Amino acid sequence: IPEADIGRIQRVRALAAPFVAAQLDEVDWAAYTVVGFTSVFQQNLASLAMAKAVKAAHPTLTIVFGGANWEEEMGVALLECFPFVDHACSGKADESFPALVRALLAERSAGERAAGIAGVISRTADGRVVRQGDGPGSVADLDSLPYPDFDPYFAQRAAAPATAFVPTTLLVE
């Protein structure tokens, strides 16, 4: 690797920890029970760094990942490598993620387990990683899903200093 590239990586890395710390301070994480991260394409390291910091500061929070980087065998392997992640949704999570959240909330109040939800990869109490079957397929009735609200994204984006030189992009699949 050329020295210039190594220097650039080191400079960017030096900015990462203060950025994660600032994001950690900006949210009242104690107000939440479950925190979800999505990871597609190059988002994995950034999302993992944030999730690790959140879990370290608030160990009782349940951390859930989803997105293309966490599907099938890759999701199992990532969950095995990162013990601060509790669950992952593999495949289309339009139905499995809400079902997982409902099960997790019920587990906290009634001792029920969040098992048997198709497409969910979970860490058991003894640390084993278990995949609950294949991920669910596409949702046939899109009208049955909640309408996405991107307003908070655009409000936060408008207030971000990077807005001046990084164009706003919303990925839609």
Side-chain angles (χ1 to χ4, degrees), residues 33-120:
T33 302
V34 178
V35 177
F37 291 87
T38 187
S39 183
V40 180
F41 308 121
Q42 74 277 12
Q43 296 170 323
N44 236 13
L45 290 179
S47 294
L48 284 164
M50 192 70 227
K52 184 177 182 181
V54 169
K55 188 70 161 191
H58 302 277
T60 60
L61 282 178
T62 299
I63 304 291
V64 180
F65 266 77
N69 289 339
W70 288 78
E71 291 193 9
E72 300 179 7
E73 291 81 12
M74 197 163 41
V76 171
L78 285 167
L79 204 67
E80 288 172 345
C81 289
F82 299 101
F84 51 87
V85 179
D86 301 299
H87 305 276
C89 291
S90 175
K92 307 288 184 207
D94 297 299
E95 294 169 341
S96 61
F97 180 68
L100 175 61
V101 171
R102 284 190 298 274
L104 291 169
L105 294 175
E107 178 181 318
R108 288 188 182 270
S109 62
E112 297 174 19
R113 295 196 48 84
I117 302 169
V120 172

Side-chain angles (χ1 to χ4, degrees), residues 94-95 98 102 138-148:
D94 297 299
E95 294 169 341
R102 284 190 298 274
S138 297
V139 175
D141 179 15
L142 293 178
D143 290 334
S144 69
L145 298 175
Y147 188 78

